[in-house]
Structures are given as structure tokens and as C-alpha cells.
Amino acid sequence: RMGRGEVWALRDRPVGDVPAIEALCISALRESRAGLSLECLTSMLLERLPSPRPERAFVAGVVRVCPGVVIEDGWCFYGRPRRKLVQLMKVLIEVGMPLHVRIIKERLNRRLPEPSTSHAVHEYLSRESDVFVRVAPGTFALKEWGSSG
């Protein structure tokens, strides 16, 4: 725990690894505009850290308190909350296939307190081209699915 210039930690934890873990975390999240799940990010960091590696729970804990990291529904981002992005991804993941913007909008509006229009959802999906791909007029899929959905 940090505060007032003091550092408190558990005796058997590799506190000296924290700056390196934070730097790797921020780097990985800056590379991935789409964000990474906490599980995926933790695994990625463990692969990149030199041996002896800290425990998985310790690395995940460092990610949770890393400055600038925002965790939204289990997804990690750097900089700002990405609630709408996470919810749009979940809509498509739950269905498992491309959907038309109107259907995406209806399902998104059930998840978020502030309603969106079809036009606004279409613009958002088009702008987030690292995550979503248009597969037909007004129809979007997750980019990781390829063009077949």
C-alpha cells in the first residue's frame, strides 16, 4: 500500500516487481485499443515477466491498482472507462453471430441507463474498427470472428 511517501507490503510478496508489472500492463493495454480481459492480461504479463515469476494473484492485484487502468465488467482498458464498448461486445458475444444495428441498439439499451439511437450505435461501431467489422449494410460482427461471423 502506498501513501505519504511510505510503502507497505506483505513480507513475502515481490514488491520490487510492481513497477515492471505496471509498465508492462500499461504497454499491453495501449497496444490493445479493444481492451483485454483481466484473465488474458494477467496471463500475458506472466509470460513477459522474467523468472522467477510472481504468483498469478499478485500480478492480477497489481493490474487492479495500476494507475490509469480502468476495469469494466472484467475488461481492462488504459485511460478511460469503456462501458459502452464492453456492453456492445457482450451483445455480440452472447448471440455469437453478426447482428443488424437496430437489434444491437435494442439489446444495448436494455443494458445501459442512457438510451442510444441506431444512428449513434452505427457510428460507434464504425469508429471502433479495432473491435467491430461491418459484414453487410447495417450489420456488424466482432472483428476477431473474421467476415463470416
Side-chain angles (χ1 to χ4, degrees), residues 45-59:
L45 296 176
L46 282 167
E47 288 174 10
R48 294 180 182 182
L49 287 168
S51 293
R53 292 183 176 96
E55 294 175 14
R56 174 177 280 284
F58 180 76
V59 173

Side-chain angles (χ1 to χ4, degrees), residues 31-146:
E31 289 172 19
S32 172
R33 269 185 34 96
L36 296 166
S37 70
L38 180 58
E39 182 68 26
C40 177
L41 179 58
T42 301
S43 295
M44 182 185 295
L45 296 176
L46 282 167
E47 288 174 10
R48 294 180 182 182
L49 287 168
S51 293
R53 292 183 176 96
E55 294 175 14
R56 174 177 280 284
F58 180 76
V59 173
V62 172
V63 169
R64 285 186 184 96
V65 298
C66 183
V69 173
V70 177
I71 301 178
E72 188 77 50
D73 261 354
W75 288 86
C76 303
F77 302 93
Y78 184 73
R80 61 187 170 92
R82 307 291 307 266
R83 181 165 174 76
K84 186 179 266 187
L85 175 68
V86 170
Q87 295 306 317
L88 284 165
M89 290 166 54
K90 284 185 167 191
V91 164
L92 289 171
I93 288 168
E94 286 173 4
V95 174
M97 58 185 261
L99 288 176
H100 191 272
V101 142
R102 279 176 281 159
I103 297 168
I104 295 171
K105 177 210 54 148
E106 289 168 8
R107 292 176 185 226
L108 177 68
N109 285 343
R110 287 186 223 140
R111 296 170 168 270
L112 297 176
E114 64 283 347
S116 292
T117 64
S118 293
H119 180 74
V121 170
H122 189 282
E123 281 188 14
Y124 192 93
L125 294 167
S126 298
R127 187 173 58 246
E128 294 292 340
S129 59
D130 290 346
V131 182
F132 306 104
V133 62
R134 194 182 92 154
V135 295
T139 304
F140 288 84
L142 290 173
K143 190 172 187 173
E144 67 187 42
W145 293 344

